[in-house]
């Protein structure tokens, strides 16, 4: 079962000037103490055309995580405007939040962003070279797109690796030969359902 | 997920409800496998398939019952959605107390949920789905034990147990007061077990399986009481579930799918002799579920002179219809045809007994309401329990198994003492399940509660310790009836203009991130890509920003789960946009076939952790390489002893006589040369001296040493020329000249009585008593016990010598042997693959001898620990086979006798007595007691045929220990009285 469920993300300081840092207040619930840290990433999609312009704004570790509900603010600096193609400076783009456990991504949240000038005169006649200090960023917080992935939450595999001991190996062999009894019919289960 | 009324009204009073998946009507309706109404009628739970997981939803009942409430938008319909099960949820069941909800699914797990309230206000959402959880239900315990999909579950009366059944052919009974403890694993079915039901008086539990049988199990000893197969012979396994049900008066058990005369029926099994001569007929396809109304009903019909009591039962079938029967009538009370567009999968009655809900594979739920005139007047709880008492005696108390009257006051005392000794924590009111895990209670400091702490890792990244949101102190945890009034939809803000108010405490410590990414070396990307279809909880309306219709869409890219942003021309009208979107999605998909992102590497520091530390292969490991690889010649070939590095070895010798401290034996091959060849030096130092110091004594040997064992009396050295040198540890003197072995030594062992054992490379074993100067075992071959199956290899796991000079050998086959010189034969002391042992339920009865004691005192345990693999038998604590348990325990006793292991003998004897007592096996108990008591006639003292002691224990003392155990089963109180009286008489005579 998924050990971590994302409960809520609140977009803070929104709307805000383009050069302000991003702030997301993330609430998640964990049903069992995690052995390892979560890894959160914030990715700014610089251009819809190509992933080359994606910028990882920050990568953080979050831990330790005991069982229960937790909240933290994930703040990251704004993207490097130098790396954003001029044509994509304004308009709609996306910021992504991803979370991984044991380097397996299990949830991804995408938000649309609209970047635009607020001053009417600049808005009417946008300069050829975007002036980011005049751009405002508006994150469409009400419509997050959440993608969840099934991952392996167990720690069993690594445990076997670490206890590399001959006697253990022998025991495992015994276990496996014993364990084979009577469980093979499970596989037939899915084929059986005819409703 | 919204509960939306489907426009169809089926019959008067029947409403039909549908699940709706997040606003998109294109998706197929997800099947609902299970439904259960909370005992207080305020909520109901459904379980089934979610988008990518199993899904449990707890709903508010009021909007279902009342249309007015339903139309009030301020009253939430969905209270909580839990997507924690990895795969489809097949069953949800409320405990009788209403505090717990059990759920079981295809992920083999059973989860126990309870309500919790978080101190910090604010809603809790199923994030990204737009749904709001009004309540928070959290998983209190996860029960792992089944090896296959869990299909049905049932709480026993008074919530003492929870029975779960699975496609692994078993039923597991869990201790609901002490989760996740297993009480029993009921094995017997040879097919998927698809339904389980408790007898309302708690004496039986019944299960129905695809193996075309219905089995009834006793709760007294968890043994099978009856197998009913006749009505099921013609059944095919065409139903997802076979939820059977027991009538509230306990008189009838009604099965799911049975056949009679070629037609599907629900078989009625009478409690009296499990007679099967009635059935419910009429459904056109297999019956999937049966549910009795929990009330016993009463009604005065005109034709009857006095009010008659009867039960009411609902039956759901694959023929998509639902029928309701009263046991007083020959025909069904009501039949609702075509209720669903697919099979009915579960039914539930409300506590009041007037409301019935059903769920179906077609993803909808139906609600039927009856009037008291239609069904009858329910008996009150008191009347019901009076009826039960009249029928079954005082069974209903949770401690129902104590059904006897205590006859002697003395015994009462014994029982009281035992009760005191038992877990004093267990509260008197057992009706309240203590699923309350300590885990959930150890909250005090789980993390900072008012700030988040930021540190830096060695690679400069931040590591954040999040703010812990403590749950509100559990207020009894009984979910409050969710009224129609009062509760408002919690508001939930997803955006805020303010900046973060969480205090961030920055610390300068450099920390290492706690990430190993153990699975990193494996293609984790593929696992996630293969096993997971990403779920996108997206709403279908396009995002509009500042009134700009920007033709940009986020389309989930299924292949790597990444959001793709695509540009579509602004001028295109919206209706075409959708189409274009699909087109471009396809073209993009072909243009960029593999745009899989390589994930940025995690810190080098953690990468180091990832390196599997492969241990250098020590040469000593070769000692385990098998005999199978050497085919040449008859007999065995065992790996010879060899020094790890070929040069020398150090053996620590602890203890010794009087003031002598620990010593150290050092052997160095080719330490010095002589004109005739290299010499091996043997030196003994007292501990604390370095090699440079003066040794206590030293000696040289002319041949390289291949191995050595030593204790405080004797040093045994095997040389490569197949000789065995014996030296006294204190002086270095030789009690005997070197012994010649028939081939180089493979294993050596030594005991405190100066007895030496050697196993040669040819698989011959000898034991010598050095003090007496004679052989105890002469060149005995290991061949009889090391016969390998073709293609397999048998290796020796350990060799040792008991204090009596009996050699012990444990093998990789999972067996352990002792050689008895007296019997000139090998004795089997342990055999982990023996079906008797494997089906034995002894573990629950053996009090573990404290590990702090010198394991030398537990030779049998020591020996068996080598070879008994750590498999936790499913049958642990089960009543799988009492005979196996008894046989195994007696084998253990015999093994203890052979090993002369007093402590273990004592422990196993008590375990056996405990087991026999629990099972009520009187005859065997008497045999044990008779032997311990001995002759009671007046000349008993002069009796020669009876020893007063066994294994160094006084038999009478043992009997005194066993009697209180026997007293714990009231059925055996006669035995207790009989033997304690005789024992008292004997001690008076003395």
């Amino acid at each position: 079962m998924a050990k971590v469920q994302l409960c809520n993300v609140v977009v803070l300081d929104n709307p805000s000037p383009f050069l302000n840092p991003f702030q997301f207040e993330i609430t998640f619930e964990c049903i069992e103490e995690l052995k390892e840290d979560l890894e959160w990433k914030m990715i700014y999609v610089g251009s819809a055309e190509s992933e080359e312009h994606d910028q990882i704004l920050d990568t953080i570790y979050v831990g330790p995580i005991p069982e229960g509900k937790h909240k933290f603010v994930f703040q990251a600096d704004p993207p490097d405007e130098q790396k954003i193609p001029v044509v994509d400076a304004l308009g709609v783009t996306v910021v992504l939040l991803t979370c991984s456990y044991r380097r397996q991504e299990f949830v991804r949240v995408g938000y649309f962003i609209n970047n635009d000038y607020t001053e009417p005169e600049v808005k009417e006649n946008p300069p050829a070279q975007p002036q980011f200090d005049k751009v405002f960023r508006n994150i469409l917080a009400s419509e997050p797109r959440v993608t969840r992935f099934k991952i392996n939450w167990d720690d069993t595999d690594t445990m076997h690796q670490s206890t590399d001991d001959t006697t253990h190996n022998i025991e495992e062999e015994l276990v496996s030969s014993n364990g084979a009894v009577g469980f093979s019919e499970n596989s037939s289960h899915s084929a059986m359902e005819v409703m | 997920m919204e509960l939306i009324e489907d426009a169809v009204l089926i019959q008067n009073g029947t409403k039909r409800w549908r699940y709706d998946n997040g606003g998109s009507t294109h998706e197929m309706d997800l099947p609902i496998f299970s439904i259960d109404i909370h005992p207080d009628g305020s909520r109901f739970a459904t379980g089934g398939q979610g988008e990518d997981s199993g899904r449990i939803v707890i709903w508010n009942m009021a909007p279902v019952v009342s249309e007015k409430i339903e139309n009030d938008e301020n009253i939430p319909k969905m209270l909580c959605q839990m997507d924690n099960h990895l795969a489809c949820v097949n069953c949800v069941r409320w405990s009788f107390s209403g505090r717990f909800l059990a759920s079981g699914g295809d992920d083999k797990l059973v989860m126990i949920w309870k309500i919790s309230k978080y101190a910090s206000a604010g809603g809790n959402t199923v994030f990204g789905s737009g749904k709001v959880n009004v309540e928070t239900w959290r998983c209190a315990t996860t029960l792992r034990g089944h090896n296959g999909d869990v299909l049905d579950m049932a709480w026993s009366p008074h919530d003492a147990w929870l029975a779960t059944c699975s496609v692994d052919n078993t039923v597991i009974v869990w201790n609901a007061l002490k989760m996740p403890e297993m009480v029993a694993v009921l094995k017997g079915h040879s097919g998927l077990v698809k339904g389980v039901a408790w007898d309302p008086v708690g004496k039986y539990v019944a299960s129905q399986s695809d193996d075309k049988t219905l089995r009834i199990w006793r709760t007294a000893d968890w043994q099978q009481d009856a197998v009913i197969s006749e009505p099921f012979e013609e059944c095919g396994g065409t139903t997802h579930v076979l939820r059977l049900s027991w009538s509230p008066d306990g008189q009838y058990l009604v099965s799911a799918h049975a056949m009679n005369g070629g037609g599907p029926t629900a078989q009625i099994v009478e409690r009296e002799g499990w007679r099967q001569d009635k059935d419910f007929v009429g459904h056109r396809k297999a019956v999937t579920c049966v549910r009795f109304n929990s009330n016993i009903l009463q009604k005065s019909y005109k034709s009857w002179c006095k009010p008659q009591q009867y039960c009411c039962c609902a039956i759901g079938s694959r023929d998509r219809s639902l029928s309701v029967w009263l046991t007083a009538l020959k025909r069904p009370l009501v039949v609702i045809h075509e209720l669903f567009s697919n099979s009915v999968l579960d039914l539930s009655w409300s506590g009041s007994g007037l409301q019935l809900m059903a769920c179906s594979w077609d993803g909808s739920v139906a609600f039927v309401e009856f009037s008291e005139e239609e069904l009858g007047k329910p008996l009150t709880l008191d009347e019901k329990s009076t009826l039960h008492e009249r029928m079954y005696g005082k069974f209903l108390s949770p401690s129902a198994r104590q059904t006897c009257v205590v006859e002697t006051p003395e015994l009462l005392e014994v029982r009281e003492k035992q009760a005191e000794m038992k877990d004093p924590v267990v509260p008197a009111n057992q009706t309240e399940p203590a699923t309350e895990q300590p885990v959930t209670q150890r909250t005090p400091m789980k993390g900072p509660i008012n700030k988040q702490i930021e540190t830096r890792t060695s690679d400069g990244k931040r590591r954040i310790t999040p703010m812990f949101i403590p749950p509100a102190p559990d207020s009894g945890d009984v979910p409050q009836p969710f009224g129609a009034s009062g509760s408002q939809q919690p508001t939930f803000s997803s955006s805020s203009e303010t900046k973060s108010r969480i205090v961030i405490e920055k610390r300068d410590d450099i920390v290492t991130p706690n990430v190993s990414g153990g699975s990193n070396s494996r293609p984790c990307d593929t696992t996630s890509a293969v096993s997971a279809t990403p779920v996108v909880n997206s709403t279908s309306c396009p995002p509009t920003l500042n009134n700009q219709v920007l033709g940009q869409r986020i389309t989930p890219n299924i292949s790597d789960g990444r959001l793709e942003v695509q540009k579509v021309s602004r001028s295109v009208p919206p209706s075409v946009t959708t189409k274009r979107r699909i087109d471009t999605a396809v073209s993009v998909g072909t243009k960029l076939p593999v745009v899989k992102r390589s994930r940025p590497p995690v810190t080098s520091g953690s990468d180091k952790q990832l390196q599997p530390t492969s241990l250098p292969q020590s040469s000593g490991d070769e000692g385990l390489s098998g005999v199978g690889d050497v085919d040449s010649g008859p007999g065995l070939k065992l790996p010879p002893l060899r020094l790890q590095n070929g040069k020398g070895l150090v053996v620590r010798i602890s203890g010794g006589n009087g003031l002598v401290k620990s010593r150290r034996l050092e052997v160095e091959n080719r330490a010095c040369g002589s004109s005739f060849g290299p010499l091996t030096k043997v030196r003994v130092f007292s501990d604390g001296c370095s090699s440079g110091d003066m040794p206590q004594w030293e000696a040289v040997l002319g041949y390289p040493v291949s191995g050595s064992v030593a204790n405080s009396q004797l040093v045994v050295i095997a040389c490569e020329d197949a000789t065995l040198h014996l030296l006294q540890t204190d002086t270095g003197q030789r009690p005997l000249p070197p012994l010649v072995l028939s081939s180089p030594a493979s294993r050596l062992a030594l005991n405190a009585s100066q007895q030496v054992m050697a196993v040669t490379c040819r698989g011959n074993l000898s034991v010598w008593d050095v003090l007496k100067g004679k052989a105890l075992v002469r060149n005995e071959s290991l061949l009889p016990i090391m016969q390998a199956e073709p293609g397999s290899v048998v290796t020796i796991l350990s060799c040792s010598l008991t204090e009596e000079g009996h050699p012990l050998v444990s093998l990789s086959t999972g067996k352990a042997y002792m050689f008895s010189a007296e019997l000139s034969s090998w004795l089997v002391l342990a055999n982990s693959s023996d079906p008797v042992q494997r089906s034995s339920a002894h573990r629950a009865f053996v009090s573990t001898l404290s590990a702090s004691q010198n394991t030398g005192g537990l030779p049998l345990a020591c020996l068996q620990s080598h070879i008994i693999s750590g498999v936790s038998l499913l049958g642990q604590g089960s009543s799988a086979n009492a005979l196996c348990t008894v046989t195994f325990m007696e084998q253990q006793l015999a093994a203890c006798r052979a090993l002369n292991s007093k402590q273990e003998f004592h422990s196993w004897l008590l375990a056996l007595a405990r087991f026999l007592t629990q099972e009520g096996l009187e005859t065997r108990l008497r045999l044990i007691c008779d032997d311990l008591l001995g002759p009671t006639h007046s000349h008993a003292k002069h009796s020669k045929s009876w020893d007063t002691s066994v294994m160094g224990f006084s038999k009478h003392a043992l009997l005194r220990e066993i009697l209180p155990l026997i007293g714990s089963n009231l059925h055996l109180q006669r035995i207790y009285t009989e033997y304690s009286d005789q024992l008292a008489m004997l001690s008076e005579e003395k």
Side-chain angles (χ1 to χ4, degrees), chain B residues 249-554:
Chain B
D249 60 4
Q251 286 298 298
Y252 304 103
L253 171 65
V254 177
S255 79
H257 187 31
M259 294 291 271
N260 187 359
T265 63
Q267 182 66 47
I268 303 173
V269 179
E270 286 177 52
R271 190 190 195 92
E272 200 62 43
W274 310 123
R275 277 198 311 257
Q276 318 132 35
D277 43 11
K278 295 192 198 95
D279 49 18
F280 292 120
V281 195
H283 279 284
R284 279 159 292 140
K285 284 185 179 168
V287 170
T288 49
C289 48
V290 177
R291 204 75 172 306
F292 268 98
N293 191 325
S294 61
N295 295 287
I296 299 174
L297 303 157
Q298 177 169 289
K299 190 151 127 185
S300 327
Y301 281 100
K302 284 169 203 137
S303 50
W304 303 331
C305 26
K306 67 174 193 181
Q308 190 185 345
Q309 285 163 356
Y310 52 88
C311 301
C312 169
C313 166
I315 297 177
S317 158
R318 271 185 58 220
D319 67 8
R320 302 174 286 149
S321 66
L322 172 72
S323 59
V324 178
W325 304 70
L326 301 182
T327 53
L329 300 176
K330 291 234 165 81
R331 324 204 87 248
L333 181 73
V334 61
V335 180
I336 308 170
H337 290 293
E338 312 278 320
L339 178 60
F340 297 111
S341 57
N342 206 329
S343 174
V344 185
L345 286 174
D346 201 6
L347 301 162
S348 177
W349 290 92
S350 67
S352 73
L354 296 175
Q355 295 158 339
L356 170 68
M357 294 190 83
C359 66
S360 162
W361 191 288
D362 71 7
S364 64
V365 165
F367 171 77
V368 188
E369 193 157 23
F370 296 91
S371 67
E372 209 162 89
E373 289 80 61
E374 287 168 320
L375 283 192
K377 191 175 179 298
L379 295 190
T380 64
L381 273 183
D382 281 346
E383 287 170 324
K384 193 169 148 188
S385 51
T386 316
L387 184 80
H388 277 147
E389 267 177 46
R390 205 174 64 225
M391 286 169 142
Y392 309 106
K394 267 220 175 262
F395 257 117
L396 269 180
S397 72
S399 50
R401 289 154 76 180
Q402 302 304 342
T403 54
C404 289
V405 180
V406 179
E407 291 173 11
T408 46
E410 193 188 340
L411 197 62
L412 200 64
E413 207 173 292
V414 172
R415 295 177 64 77
E416 272 169 9
K417 264 187 214 152
Q418 277 179 339
E420 280 166 25
M421 277 156 62
K422 270 184 200 158
D423 203 355
V425 187
V426 176
N429 57 338
Q430 293 190 346
T431 45
E432 200 171 62
T435 321
E436 210 78 37
Q437 290 291 299
V439 186
T440 62
Q441 288 304 315
R442 54 158 197 234
T443 6
M445 255 340 264
K446 275 191 167 175
I449 54 166
N450 49 5
K451 61 187 175 195
Q452 73 185 43
I453 299 170
E454 287 189 13
T455 45
R456 290 265 169 197
T457 60
S458 41
D459 57 332
K461 285 180 188 163
R462 281 183 296 158
R463 182 183 194 231
I464 293 177
T465 303
M467 192 167 112
F468 181 68
I469 306 174
D474 291 332
S475 51
D477 278 331
V478 185
Q480 299 302 309
F482 201 94
S485 60
S487 8
Q488 297 282 312
Q489 292 270 18
T491 51
F492 158 62
S493 87
S494 54
S495 177
S496 158
E497 288 190 26
T498 58
K499 296 189 181 183
S500 164
R501 277 188 296 254
I502 294 181
V503 180
I504 298 173
E505 181 181 313
K506 291 201 171 150
R507 293 187 182 169
D508 295 332
D509 329 354
I510 302 293
V511 296
T512 323
N514 178 20
V515 284
S516 70
S519 52
N520 188 36
S521 47
R522 295 182 292 113
C524 67
D525 287 12
T526 48
T527 49
S528 70
V530 169
S531 70
T533 6
V535 211
V536 181
N537 299 317
S538 57
T539 41
S540 46
C541 56
T544 45
L545 290 159
N546 303 343
N547 294 327
Q548 277 183 312
V549 186
L550 280 166
Q552 290 207 340
R553 297 283 191 279
I554 293 179

Side-chain angles (χ1 to χ4, degrees), chain A residues 94 96 105-112 143-150, chain B residues 1 20-27 30 50-53 55 81 83 126-131 532-541 543 553-564 581:
Chain A
V94 163
L96 297 171
E105 184 177 320
F106 64 91
V107 72
R108 165 172 292 225
V109 183
Y111 283 103
F112 290 103
E143 295 199 18
R145 304 304 160 101
V146 183
T147 316
R148 297 188 168 91
F149 308 94
K150 270 186 205 176
Chain B
M1 182 169 301
D20 192 81
N21 317 310
S24 68
T25 44
H26 308 291
E27 285 179 69
L30 303 167
E51 273 105 355
D52 69 330
S53 62
R55 173 167 297 169
Q81 173 180 319
D83 280 354
V126 183
F127 182 71
S129 63
K131 298 171 198 167
T533 6
V535 211
V536 181
N537 299 317
S538 57
T539 41
S540 46
C541 56
R553 297 283 191 279
I554 293 179
T555 314
N557 181 337
I558 302 296
S559 68
D560 64 355
R562 180 162 195 290
L563 290 170
E564 293 280 346
R581 189 185 69 176

Side-chain angles (χ1 to χ4, degrees), chain B residues 933-943 946 956 960 981-990:
Chain B
L933 185 69
T936 49
H937 52 80
S938 51
H939 303 292
K941 274 172 255 174
H942 315 294
S943 167
W946 184 75
H956 285 175
R960 272 186 209 102
D981 286 353
Q982 291 189 63
L983 203 57
M985 214 170 68
L986 279 176
S987 45
E988 267 172 35
E989 277 174 22
K990 275 180 194 166

Side-chain angles (χ1 to χ4, degrees), chain B residues 60 62-64 66-73 75 77 483-485:
Chain B
N60 189 359
V64 180
S66 152
E67 198 163 343
K68 187 170 156 265
I69 297 172
E70 186 194 342
N71 294 331
D72 185 344
E73 285 187 0
I75 294 168
K77 297 182 175 73
S485 60

